[in-house]
Structures are given as structure tokens and as C-alpha cells.
Amino acid sequence: MFGKKSNASEPPALTPPPASPPPPGAPATLKVWDAYGRICEIPREEWRTKVLPGNFRGAWSKPDELANLISATLNDGFIADCLEPARQLHRIDSDPKRGATFLVVVLIYLKQWGEAEEIVLTAMRQHGEDGVLMTNLAKAQAGQGHKTLSESTLWHALELDPNQDNGLLWYQAIFRERDGEAGAEAAFRRVAALAGSWRAQLWLARSSIEARNLEQALAFYRESLSRVQKPIPADLLSQISGDLGNAGHLPEILQLVGPHFDVADHGLEVGVNLIKTNVDLGQLDTASRILSQLYAQGRPDWKGHLGYWDTEIAKARLPLHQGFQERPTSVMLTIAGPVWLKPESPAAELFPAKPADAPTVTLIGSAAEFISNSRRAEHQLADGRGRMSRALPLFLAEQIEFHSEARVQSLFPWVTGEAPAFAFVGASWEDGDAALYTQQSENSSDYVVTVFLKPNAETWSVELRLVRTIDAQCLGTVTGGFREAQPEAGIPVMADQLLALLREKADVQPVPPPSPYQIPVGSSFGSYLLRLEQLLAVRCAGMDGVPSTFLSGERDIVDGNLQLCLEYPQNEGVRILFVQLLIALKRARPKMLPEYREKVARLQREIPLRGSAQSVLQRMINGVWEP
């Protein structure tokens, strides 16, 4: 009797109610993303009992946050868990109708019809009639068996708000069950005649499209757009673009939806419909622009969808440069040192300098066995063979650089002209040609190692040939193999064998690797190889004369490097690789870099490197953001 009075602003213990069966089709896990964009999947029951109560406690006295959380939790199917939070929102909400609506919705889900009806009637007595509340009153009446009264209440709800999706579809479902498709269409027409109606017109337009009456459908769409208030609801544009797209009326999508699209208001669903429409119509630059706008929203849950369309746009560009009318002109690109450690980079001060008279070893890649009936050079998207044919020499180059006294460089054939690209050679390099290319490169070299990949179905085999450049004599070979999905099981062994061959045949002496150089192991090794090749591609994308269409999936590239940094938080080489990627992107894709500024700052702040590496890398990062 004399105890402390309860305070509604303080959350109760929120003990989860007993578990109930998940809704049909509900996923077994829930996905969450952290500040770096990493995804984590949590079993439904663990989320319900261990995560959700804490989320509700954190939002207990914040009406907007609490409303959003209840909405998301209802969508996830945790109905009973929302009851007490909905009661709290009803008590504190600055928008009383919203608070009442959420509580009524939960009560109706739980079939507590009487309490739901009482709350609706009380809310409307205090705050006036409302279409959504009135629809929920109709549901409560129907749940208690008052069918005729429920239908009358539902019609009045639509008179108050004819555009509430739930009430509209329930109304037409009643008449479809009663009178078939004709009854459903008549129901939509009755609602469409109400003042301010625009949603019913969308459904009448769908019926017109199904009846192959495009002009009538367009008239309904225009009427709907003329009646709706701004900002235009996303589901309106989504339904227009979806229905027209499914019927193949693509130009009409651009005419009706394109001018109204705003990425902040309409998001993924409308944006993806517009991307697909533009791709199908060959307007690839417009599709790319919309894709960039969606990426800039920073939604990690959209990443999979956007990555798919990034690839589709790249595929669509291929026919524009599918074949060469004549033999293409090619040159050799030179990469001095490891691809992530340019000699002039500030990061070079973290590694011991090579003596001026150190022997030099060149590696040449981009050669792999390729069976084709065509004798023409053709453009194609980079695949696993092409990427590995470049990643392997890049990895071997850094192994030689850091495990021996030699300096290294890598050569890659590059097609010039209107559609520059990496050249992919379908046969092994001749020893004499390799020696000649090396002699013609920017820096003279004592030895050249050719890398030839045979990507068979089971095991990919590799042949390395060590050639002395002065006389093009092969001094020895290394052969090995690995599974495409497990490169860590074979490639490091071949690197050790190549170092042993250099010591034996070329008198290139081994040295202990510097402490900053540590390669990722296990399944991360394959990711590391991919990041090396991607950095090469980004560096090439920034060269003069290379069109913006050369590079695709650049955000996936950045995200992949960031995840590797998080997996190896004190690996200086991995962090340098990431920062060098950002530097290369400043030239190749400057407009997308601001999307990652906060994540990069968080990485440096929360996971600093030890010693001088932190200040060196921070100095390089500062340069990324400078104009």
C-alpha cells in the first residue's frame, strides 16, 4: 500500500512471453548489421529472448523509436512480445492516434477483440474519427461476429481515408468472395469515386493492363498521380513500375515513374525497378546513376541486390565492345614492387630498403589455358581464371620482395584503344618473348618468372618458369596445383619452391621477412589474393584514357578489403592494402569515397595499429579526403 509508485517511463523487466510458432515462411534467423556493414545471423528464439527485450528497454521512453521498433517486430512475427511495448506507446505517444493504432493492431493479432474495440472507441471520442482506427474497429467487430456492422464500419473507414491499403484490400476481398472478379472491380470503382482516392485507381489500372487496355491503365495511373500528396508514396511508384514492367511496357515506366523518383523517399524497390527498366532499354548510364544513388544511402541490407545489378549493368555493356574488327594493340603495364607498396608510398618507410645493386626479378602473368573455337579477340567480364592469372604473380612478387634480397616488378599485358582492358593470353609465355618484354620494361631485370595457369575442373595446376633475361635460358621450373576454393592448400607451397629455385639457380639469397608482412591464412587467403587483383584493377581504372565503365563492383571491393582488415586487425600489410585501395579510388571513383569516410575513421579510432604504422597510415588516409 505504501510502496513506491510505478513510473511508466521506466521499463519493466519485459520477461518474454512463452514462445509461439513462427509465422509460415518466417526465416530461422534474423539478420543484423554492425557499424562496419558486417552481417550477423541470430536464431529467432535467441533474438526474441536475449536481444529484443534490451531493444525495447532502450526505446521505452522514446515514442518514435518505440513505434518503429514495434512495427519491425510485428513484421518479424513476434506478436505477443509487442503487447507491453504497445501499451507503453499508447501511454506516452505524442501522436495519440498512432499509439492507439499500434496497441489495437497487437490486440487484434492476439484476438482480444473486446479490448481492441474499447481502445478504438475511446481514442476516437478523445481525438476524432480516423480511417485506420475505424478499419481496426471493423476488424474487432468482425472478430466478435458482428458481420453487418463490421462492413458498415469498414465503408465509413474508407470514406474517411480511401487510401489505406489494408482497409481497401479487405473491402474488395469481401466483394470478390461474394460476387467474383466483377464484384472486386466494382468495389474498387466505388472507392475510386470517393474524394481524394488514388490507391483504388492503381488496382483498376492493373485490371486494365490484364485486359490489354494500356490507354485506360495509363489514364488511371495519371489520375492517381494527380491526386496523391507529396512526397509520393513508395508503394504507389512500386506498383506502377512493377505492373507495367511485368506487362513489358517499359517506356511508360520512364514516363510515369522516372520523373517522380527520389532515392531518399522511394528507396530500393522503386530504384531497382527503374534500374531494370533502363538496363532493358539499353540506357546503361542512367541505370548506373540510379545504382550509385542507392549505394550512397549506406544500407548494408541492400548490398546483395545492388551488387547483382552492378554485375548486370557490366554484362549489358559487353556487347558494345564484344569483338575487335582487327587485332588489338597491347602494351605491358609495369607494377614496381608489391602492388600495395609503391616505392614512393609513405608506407615504404615501414619496410627495410633494398640495396641499389640488389638483383631484380620480374613476373609475367595473365596467361592461362583457355579452350575456344574462336580465333578472335573478344571482351568478356573478368572470371575466376582471369583474376587468378593476375593475382598469382602479384602474390609471388611480394613473396620474393619480402623473403629474398631481390627487388621485384610485375608485367601485365594491357589492350589499348577505345575499350582498354586486361589482356588474357590463352597459352604459356615463350621464354624468349618473356625475356624480351622484360628488357623492354621501364626497369631492367636479371630474371623473369612466367606464370601459366591450367584451370581444370578439379585441381588447377600452375607452371612457373625461371628464365635468365640475358640469354632467355630457362634455369628451372616449379609445378604445383590447388583447388579453386582452397588456394591456401597449394599456392604458398609453390611460393616456397620458387624461392628455393631462385636461391639454387640464380643465387638470390633468402632474408627474414619484415614483421609488418604477414599473409592471411586459411579461408582468408583466397580473399587476400582477390584483394591484390582488385587493387591492380582499381589502379588501372585511374589511368588516363580508361573509361569509367572499366571498373564495376567497386563498393564490394572496398567492403571486402574492410572486412579483411577487421578479420586481421593488427596486420599492417592488410591495412596498407586497404589504404592504397582508397588512394587509387580517389582517382578512379572520387564521388563514392565519402560513403566510407566514417567507417575508415571508425577503423582507425577503434582498432589502431601498433607503433609508427598508425601515424603513417593516418597520414595517408588524410590525403584521401583532401581535395
Side-chain angles (χ1 to χ4, degrees):
M1 181 179 296
F2 300 103
K4 180 180 179 182
K5 295 182 179 180
S6 63
N7 186 343
S9 66
E10 296 179 0
L14 289 178
T15 302
S20 57
T29 60
L30 294 178
K31 296 179 180 180
V32 294
W33 288 264
D34 68 6
Y36 296 104
R38 289 178 293 187
I39 189 171
C40 178
E41 297 195 23
I42 302 176
R44 285 183 63 85
E45 189 60 15
E46 181 179 341
W47 172 271
R48 190 183 76 87
T49 59
K50 297 182 179 180
V51 178
L52 193 55
N55 289 349
F56 277 129
R57 282 195 297 270
W60 197 252
S61 60
K62 305 169 185 175
D64 290 341
E65 291 185 23
L66 188 58
N68 290 335
L69 181 55
I70 293 171
S71 178
T73 305
L74 289 173
N75 288 334
D76 289 333
F78 301 115
I79 309 302
D81 300 84
C82 291
L83 181 56
E84 288 307 316
R87 293 192 189 282
Q88 167 68 359
L89 181 65
H90 185 221
R91 286 191 291 265
I92 69 170
D93 203 347
S94 55
D95 181 353
K97 290 183 180 179
R98 179 179 67 174
T101 299
F102 270 104
L103 179 54
V104 169
V105 166
V106 175
L107 291 169
I108 287 174
Y109 270 126
L110 298 175
K111 299 183 179 181
Q112 298 183 23
W113 316 112
E115 185 180 356
E117 180 177 13
E118 180 182 344
I119 290 172
V120 171
L121 292 173
T122 300
M124 289 197 295
R125 279 196 303 268
Q126 294 175 348
H127 307 290
E129 289 186 331
D130 175 82
V132 174
L133 279 172
M134 190 70 72
T135 295
N136 283 288
L137 175 60
K139 290 181 180 180
Q141 292 167 342
Q144 297 175 84
H146 306 311
K147 184 177 179 181
T148 301
L149 176 61
S150 173
E151 287 187 21
S152 174
T153 301
L154 177 59
W155 176 249
H156 185 46
L158 291 169
E159 289 178 318
L160 293 171
D161 180 3
N163 300 309
Q164 46 172 313
D165 192 31
N166 192 286
L168 174 64
L169 295 182
W170 181 22
Y171 182 74
Q172 67 85 29
I174 292 172
F175 287 92
R176 171 177 278 115
E177 183 178 354
R178 187 175 298 165
D179 301 318
E181 291 302 320
E185 181 164 347
F188 280 136
R189 288 186 179 276
R190 284 193 294 273
V191 177
L194 295 173
S197 170
W198 55 261
R199 189 177 294 277
Q201 283 84 335
L202 299 179
W203 294 96
L204 292 170
R206 177 177 289 182
S207 297
S208 298
I209 289 176
E210 291 171 351
R212 300 181 183 276
N213 190 339
L214 177 60
E215 289 305 316
Q216 186 179 65
L218 295 178
F220 280 128
Y221 286 141
R222 293 188 184 102
E223 180 182 351
S224 178
L225 289 167
S226 70
R227 291 186 172 195
V228 72
Q229 294 182 350
K230 303 294 176 59
I232 295 177
D235 61 339
L236 184 155
L237 297 182
S238 175
Q239 186 163 334
I240 293 177
S241 55
D243 288 352
L244 287 172
N246 289 334
H249 301 302
L250 303 185
E252 288 77 11
I253 295 175
L254 300 187
Q255 295 167 10
L256 287 173
V257 177
H260 298 290
F261 175 68
D262 181 274
V263 66
D265 291 330
H266 303 132
L268 180 69
E269 191 168 359
V270 179
V272 163
N273 284 352
L274 288 173
I275 290 173
K276 176 172 172 50
T277 300
N278 280 285
V279 169
D280 290 346
L281 291 174
Q283 300 183 26
L284 304 182
D285 290 342
T286 302
S288 294
R289 185 174 65 253
I290 297 171
L291 182 66
S292 295
Q293 293 173 356
L294 291 169
Y295 266 123
Q297 298 304 298
R299 290 283 299 270
D301 51 324
W302 294 357
K303 181 180 175 182
H305 299 280
L306 301 184
Y308 169 82
W309 282 107
D310 207 344
T311 301
E312 290 301 300
I313 292 171
K315 288 179 181 177
R317 293 190 188 277
L318 282 180
L320 303 178
H321 306 288
Q322 190 59 53
F324 295 92
Q325 298 300 317
E326 53 189 42
R327 185 177 181 84
T329 302
S330 64
V331 297
M332 281 289 186
L333 299 179
T334 302
I335 302 295
V339 68
W340 48 268
L341 194 64
K342 290 183 177 182
E344 68 274 15
S345 170
E349 67 188 65
L350 301 173
F351 296 84
K354 296 281 185 175
D357 59 349
T360 303
V361 178
T362 296
L363 292 103
I364 300 182
S366 297
E369 189 174 67
F370 178 66
I371 300 174
S372 173
N373 294 326
S374 175
R375 294 184 176 273
R376 297 179 60 196
E378 296 182 348
H379 278 273
Q380 67 176 45
L381 286 178
D383 57 12
R385 295 169 305 177
R387 286 189 289 267
M388 184 59 76
S389 75
R390 295 183 288 273
L392 189 50
L394 289 172
F395 173 72
L396 295 173
E398 66 181 45
Q399 286 280 290
I400 295 171
E401 175 77 17
F402 296 126
H403 285 269
S404 82
E405 62 179 350
R407 291 178 290 134
V408 296
Q409 66 176 6
S410 306
L411 300 182
F412 297 94
W414 176 260
V415 175
T416 60
E418 294 183 0
F422 290 117
F424 181 76
V425 183
S428 59
W429 296 101
E430 297 290 339
D431 295 344
D433 291 341
L436 180 61
Y437 284 129
T438 302
Q439 292 168 356
Q440 294 173 344
S441 66
E442 299 175 11
N443 303 306
S444 61
S445 185
D446 302 291
Y447 304 95
V448 59
V449 176
T450 62
V451 182
F452 184 61
L453 180 67
K454 293 183 179 180
N456 300 318
E458 290 295 326
T459 301
W460 289 19
S461 60
V462 178
E463 181 186 53
L464 310 176
R465 294 177 64 83
L466 175 61
V467 177
R468 188 168 56 208
T469 59
I470 193 171
D471 56 6
Q473 180 180 350
C474 179
L475 303 180
T477 62
V478 171
T479 58
F482 60 93
R483 291 181 179 270
E484 181 183 11
Q486 293 180 304
E488 68 275 10
I491 291 178
V493 174
M494 284 185 280
D496 291 340
Q497 293 172 341
L498 178 58
L499 289 166
L501 181 64
L502 284 166
R503 182 177 65 251
E504 177 185 354
K505 299 296 185 180
D507 196 29
V508 174
Q509 296 302 310
V511 299
S515 58
Y517 180 63
Q518 299 176 6
I519 63 171
V521 297
S523 60
S524 298
F525 178 74
S527 175
Y528 180 69
L529 292 179
L530 177 61
R531 308 310 160 199
L532 296 178
E533 193 275 340
Q534 289 173 335
L535 176 56
L536 173 66
V538 175
R539 286 180 59 174
C540 291
M543 296 190 305
D544 292 338
V546 177
S548 61
T549 55
F550 168 77
L551 188 65
S552 64
E554 52 269 31
R555 291 172 179 84
D556 284 339
I557 294 174
V558 179
D559 290 335
N561 276 269
L562 178 58
Q563 302 313 313
L564 196 60
C565 288
L566 295 169
E567 189 175 353
Y568 289 87
Q570 290 301 321
N571 190 312
E572 295 178 22
V574 168
R575 189 76 64 93
I576 295 170
L577 171 60
F578 179 43
V579 175
Q580 292 288 9
L581 174 72
L582 298 175
I583 293 171
L585 281 168
K586 182 178 181 180
R587 181 173 176 84
R589 291 288 190 275
K591 292 183 179 179
M592 63 158 280
L593 275 179
E595 299 172 24
Y596 290 90
R597 186 164 189 165
E598 176 53 36
K599 289 182 181 179
V600 174
R602 181 184 294 272
L603 177 68
Q604 287 291 99
R605 182 177 64 252
E606 296 182 346
I607 315 177
L609 294 172
R610 302 185 186 96
S612 61
Q614 175 72 5
S615 60
V616 170
L617 268 292
Q618 189 59 56
R619 190 165 75 245
M620 296 169 65
I621 291 170
N622 293 341
V624 172
W625 313 125
E626 293 174 356

